[in-house]
Amino acid sequence: MTTRRDFIKTAAAGVGAATLGTASTAQAASPSAGPHQMPRGLTLLSIEQADGSETLGVKLPNGILDVAQAGKALKIDAPLALDRLLTSGNAASLEQLISAAKDKQEFLKDEASLKFGRLFTNPGKIVCVGLNYKAHAEEAGEKLPKEPILFNKYNNTLAAHHCTIKLPPREVSYKFDYETELLIVIGKTARNVSEAEALDYVAGYAIGHDFSARDLQLETGGQWMVGKTLDGFAPIGPYFVSADQVDPNNLTIETFVNDEEKPRQSSNTAKFIFNPQKVISYTSRLFALQPGDIIFTGTPSGVIVGMPKDKQVWLKAGDRITSRIEKLGTLKFDLA
């Protein structure tokens, strides 16, 4: 049987081919006429419209600006999705639209009335870091890694705030587990960057959830990729918060299940083994990180798989999961 330790020994070697292969699927986007500009001072979200399209929203003090509606009415060609905004580098046109529309009530919506769309629909790469908190490595019975352990998810896993993850039949999998993580969003191409300059390449941050099927991941053949990449196994949201508003190295991070008042996971990103600077620098030596790529930075201790066998009560249909990270909001989803 392939163990977690066996996987860790080979993960870093295999990640280059696995993640580079997804780059060709990145959303095509023409660069803006001006310099490549990342969003600053912005909190963004995705709105699922009545026709099923998923378009950009801007969280303002007086409501949510509907970028698609305002852009069409005001004839301002702002990016309609976060993927497009990041790959085109056209934050200037979005800022122009915000300035023109921010006080026009017809373009503002009540957040409570919105259906959230997926923040990301087609990133070039979804890179994940394993065992990145000391206490989590210890609960998993693993040695502390000397370098970041990388693996990947695929775009089929991407899901929205308030989504419902449809679980597979029990004969396929039943040991479902939570993993709340800080998500790094790359804003400009990073290749061989130093740790000192690594955060200059970050557009922003979000809450990501690396939902996992532990039986597939660790038991039936050790299928790590399968255990991490079933449909909808990466809810992200509710917001993208631009990097200038966040210190990624000092954020509280928590996970709650159902109506439990005590968090299952409770930690701080200050406890990373490899902080975002190290992760970005290390990964950029293996392959280029490009605008719109996203990085799941690893989960803290408190996961079900780390509990004693007699205490392991796996997640099931009907359960509700809440992921909370300081300054980034609260991500919620349920299981069916």
Side-chain angles (χ1 to χ4, degrees):
M1 181 179 73
T2 302
T3 66
R4 185 183 182 108
R5 193 180 303 277
D6 293 332
F7 172 81
I8 289 168
K9 289 178 180 178
T10 59
V15 71
T19 52
L20 277 174
T22 65
S24 62
T25 66
Q27 179 181 11
S30 301
S32 61
H36 189 98
Q37 183 179 342
M38 293 188 289
R40 289 292 179 257
L42 296 177
T43 298
L44 307 175
L45 52 87
S46 176
I47 303 169
E48 182 174 325
Q49 303 286 1
D51 63 359
S53 61
E54 298 166 293
T55 62
L56 199 60
V58 182
K59 187 175 176 65
L60 300 174
N62 53 342
I64 304 300
L65 174 64
D66 186 326
V67 172
Q69 181 187 8
K72 182 178 180 180
L74 299 176
K75 296 181 170 52
I76 297 175
D77 187 20
L80 297 184
L82 183 54
D83 291 322
R84 175 81 181 187
L85 172 64
L86 296 169
T87 55
S88 70
N90 192 14
S93 65
L94 180 59
E95 292 173 357
Q96 178 190 2
L97 179 65
I98 295 169
S99 179
K102 63 182 179 180
D103 296 319
K104 297 183 183 299
Q105 195 59 43
E106 63 267 33
F107 304 136
L108 298 172
K109 296 184 176 180
D110 178 6
E111 183 172 338
S113 70
L114 297 178
K115 182 175 182 181
F116 283 77
R118 292 170 297 170
L119 265 179
F120 300 91
T121 59
N122 197 18
K125 306 180 193 69
I126 304 174
V127 181
C128 306
V129 184
L131 300 179
N132 200 19
Y133 289 81
K134 180 175 182 291
H136 177 50
E138 290 172 345
E139 73 179 355
E142 302 294 346
K143 294 179 180 179
L144 297 185
K146 295 181 179 179
E147 294 180 322
I149 299 162
L150 303 183
F151 61 98
N152 65 302
K153 285 179 175 278
Y154 298 106
N155 291 350
N156 67 296
T157 63
L158 297 168
H161 175 48
H162 284 313
C163 73
T164 296
I165 295 179
K166 295 181 180 179
L167 302 175
R170 183 180 174 87
E171 60 268 23
V172 174
S173 176
Y174 71 95
K175 294 185 177 181
F176 303 110
D177 205 351
Y178 46 77
E179 290 195 14
T180 299
E181 307 196 5
L182 173 67
L183 189 81
I184 299 171
V185 183
I186 299 298
K188 59 181 180 179
T189 301
R191 185 75 166 108
N192 293 316
V193 303
S194 68
E195 290 182 41
E197 63 181 349
L199 295 187
D200 294 339
Y201 293 82
V202 177
Y205 303 93
I207 301 171
H209 200 103
D210 179 19
F211 198 73
S212 301
R214 299 300 191 188
D215 40 3
L216 294 177
Q217 176 192 358
L218 301 172
E219 297 174 11
T220 54
Q223 292 276 14
W224 265 70
M225 184 274 285
V226 175
K228 297 287 189 173
T229 56
L230 299 186
D231 290 341
F233 269 38
I236 297 172
Y239 309 119
F240 161 94
V241 181
S242 60
D244 57 305
Q245 304 181 86
V246 179
D247 174 6
N249 295 299
N250 185 22
L251 299 170
T252 57
I253 179 170
E254 296 176 312
T255 304
F256 298 84
V257 177
N258 296 326
D259 297 319
E260 296 173 356
E261 294 184 4
K262 183 179 179 181
R264 297 282 189 96
Q265 294 181 286
S266 182
S267 189
N268 190 288
T269 58
K271 297 182 180 181
F272 276 135
I273 298 173
F274 306 106
N275 64 21
Q277 298 94 301
K278 176 66 176 180
V279 169
I280 294 167
S281 177
Y282 174 80
T283 306
S284 77
R285 297 202 306 269
L286 301 174
F287 48 82
L289 291 168
Q290 297 167 325
D293 288 352
I294 57 179
I295 303 174
F296 284 79
T297 54
T299 201
S301 62
V303 294
I304 299 171
V305 75
M307 298 176 183
K309 296 291 185 182
D310 61 345
K311 302 288 187 182
Q312 292 177 344
V313 179
W314 303 104
L315 299 173
K316 62 187 183 306
D319 284 340
R320 304 181 309 280
I321 316 302
T322 299
S323 297
R324 185 175 298 153
I325 299 181
E326 183 181 358
K327 297 185 178 180
L328 301 180
T330 300
L331 168 67
K332 296 184 178 183
F333 62 95
D334 57 27
L335 310 177

